[in-house]
Amino acid sequence: MALSDSIKVRLREGQALVYAAQAEQRGVGIAAYIRDRLDQTDRIDDELASIRAAMIEMGETMDELRDQLAERSVAPAVDQQTTGGFNDMLVEILLLLRTTTDSQTKNMVTSEVERQGLKPFRIPGLPTRSR
């Protein structure tokens, strides 16, 4: 990998010592270590932006589902079996998605649900996350 411009960065004395020690533990120079940290930060920022965009899209989808559910709840009693099946399906989808999602993403989604004024789904009998 070809490197281009060289830049100087002033660090606090303690911070420079910490970075130097961490670089030494990894067996690389301090410049390579800081470059790797910057690259990692860029990747994390990109991933967070992607998650935020997905959450916005998910919020719009939740609004649409909420509207559809509200329309169904005013349906005649004959349709209550259909609505019950719809709710069962939503719970199943929720549980399947939870098994494929890391805890950080679950916490972000739960926070978005709460921000929208909704009560997050909790599996009965399991402890809730602490705040």
Side-chain angles (χ1 to χ4, degrees):
M1 169 176 88
L3 301 177
S4 59
D5 298 330
S6 173
I7 60 171
K8 282 188 170 187
V9 177
R10 293 183 186 266
L11 301 172
R12 291 184 308 276
E13 184 176 334
Q15 188 179 25
L17 293 173
V18 169
Y19 286 166
Q22 291 172 343
E24 186 177 321
Q25 285 177 343
R26 289 178 173 78
V28 297
I30 190 165
Y33 174 74
I34 291 174
R35 194 170 38 250
D36 289 345
R37 283 188 60 133
L38 289 170
D39 287 342
Q40 182 181 23
T41 300
D42 288 344
R43 284 191 304 272
I44 290 170
D45 287 346
D46 290 345
E47 186 175 337
L48 285 174
S50 174
I51 290 170
R52 285 185 187 106
M55 288 181 64
I56 289 169
E57 187 176 317
M58 191 182 317
E60 292 168 357
T61 302
M62 285 179 58
D63 290 341
E64 291 171 12
L65 286 172
R66 190 175 29 234
D67 292 344
Q68 289 176 11
L69 193 57
E71 289 172 10
R72 287 181 177 250
S73 67
V74 295
V78 175
D79 285 343
Q80 289 303 317
Q81 289 178 334
T82 307
T83 304
F86 183 72
N87 288 338
D88 295 345
M89 178 184 65
L90 288 177
V91 170
E92 182 177 357
I93 291 170
L94 170 70
L95 295 174
L96 287 170
L97 285 172
R98 283 182 173 210
T99 63
T100 61
T101 306
D102 62 69
S103 61
Q104 181 182 5
T105 304
K106 286 179 193 175
N107 290 340
M108 288 174 45
V109 169
T110 299
S111 296
E112 174 62 15
V113 169
E114 290 170 344
R115 187 191 69 75
Q116 291 190 22
L118 303 172
K119 183 177 177 185
F121 177 81
R122 308 263 188 239
I123 299 173
L126 292 181
T128 58
R129 75 181 165 109
S130 59
R131 288 199 156 218

